[in-house]
Structure formats: C-alpha cells, structure tokens
Amino acid sequence: MVEEINNGYKHIIPLQIRFNDVDKFGHVNNTIYFQFYDTAKTDYIATVCKDVDWERLAIVVVKIEADFISQIKGNNHIAGRTRITKIGNKSFHLEQDIIDADTQEVKSHCTSIMVLYDLEHQQTIPLPDEWRQAINNYEGLK
C-alpha cells in the first residue's frame, strides 16, 4: 500500500518551509524548490550509500529539468521523494517529486543527471562498486 501511494519511490523525507522561503503572495519561491531537491538528494545518498566521505566527494548536477505543477503555500506540509532510475559509469539519473504530504499531490517533478566529483583532485570519478550495489539493491535495479 505504501509503495502504491508513493508511486515506486522508496525514499521520502519531510521538508520544512521556512519563513523566508515564501514570497509576498504566500507561495514558496521557485528557487527554493531546488534547495528542497538538494536536501532530499543528499539524504537519499546518505541513507542508501553508507559511509560517504562528504569532505572528499560531492554529487554535482550536470543536467536538471523541473516541472512546477502546483504552487506550494507557506502552510503546506511537504515532502521530497527521490529515486535513482539509471546508473552509468560516472553518472546516475535521479528522479524527484516534491509532494503535499497530506494529500500526496505532486507539486513539482524534477529529473537530473548527477556525477560524483572528487573535491581533492577536482575531477569526476566513477561511482564506487559499493554505491552501485547499494543503489541496485535499494531500487531493485539490474
């Protein structure tokens, strides 16, 4: 039942709307959606890929597309859903929704391609085998 409600997403995190996220019309500013997506992505990686060295590694967006479906208002209870749908050598495809946690209405949908970036050497690097295995197991990918 939970799987049906979440449309195949296994990772969901509640998100907090702050006072300064809301414009004078009572809507969350579109730029804030990307902060929500980033928070959900980071929590997903920390949950699925254990022992990430955030001092050495970064996950960098190389392509992003977002659909703003319905306004988020300051009093909404929202959550971020995240899943990885495809893994390449140095990249992975991420799919995310921001939803109304009470009604399950999708407020925004985002797809992105991410790469793993070595901060010390300033270059992209292949995804570790441990990450691949953890993501495949979590998402049920091949």
Side-chain angles (χ1 to χ4, degrees):
M1 178 72 177
V2 171
E3 190 70 23
E4 285 178 25
I5 290 172
N6 294 313
N7 295 326
Y9 289 88
K10 295 177 182 171
H11 185 272
I12 299 169
I13 181 174
L15 299 167
Q16 180 180 13
I17 299 171
R18 300 163 301 183
F19 173 78
N20 59 335
D21 294 341
V22 180
D23 64 21
K24 70 178 184 173
F25 306 110
H27 301 122
V28 171
N29 187 301
N30 285 0
T31 61
I32 301 303
Y33 287 61
F34 293 101
Q35 292 178 20
F36 292 152
Y37 286 128
D38 193 52
T39 298
K41 171 206 57 172
T42 302
D43 189 72
Y44 175 97
I45 295 297
T47 299
V48 176
C49 303
K50 305 296 184 203
D51 301 322
V52 176
D53 183 356
W54 296 110
E55 298 296 318
R56 190 179 74 78
L57 300 173
I59 300 164
V60 180
V61 174
V62 294
K63 179 180 180 181
I64 193 163
E65 294 180 23
D67 297 316
F68 299 97
I69 299 163
S70 178
Q71 288 286 334
I72 297 173
K73 296 182 180 172
N75 63 349
N76 289 144
H77 299 108
I78 59 170
R81 302 190 298 203
T82 303
R83 65 181 167 200
I84 292 176
T85 58
K86 182 179 176 184
I87 303 172
N89 181 41
K90 293 183 178 183
S91 66
F92 57 90
H93 291 230
L94 196 66
E95 189 171 332
Q96 296 180 282
D97 288 336
I98 298 172
I99 62 169
D100 182 305
D102 298 326
T103 67
Q104 301 299 302
E105 175 190 5
V106 176
K107 298 291 192 171
S108 179
H109 178 77
C110 181
T111 57
S112 52
I113 299 174
M114 314 294 292
V115 295
L116 188 58
Y117 192 76
D118 183 316
L119 294 168
E120 181 182 348
H121 297 101
Q122 299 289 298
Q123 64 185 15
T124 60
I125 59 173
L127 297 171
D129 288 337
E130 304 83 42
W131 285 35
R132 290 175 190 285
Q133 185 174 2
I135 293 165
N136 286 333
N137 289 343
Y138 188 81
E139 296 292 355
L141 300 174
K142 165 63 180 102

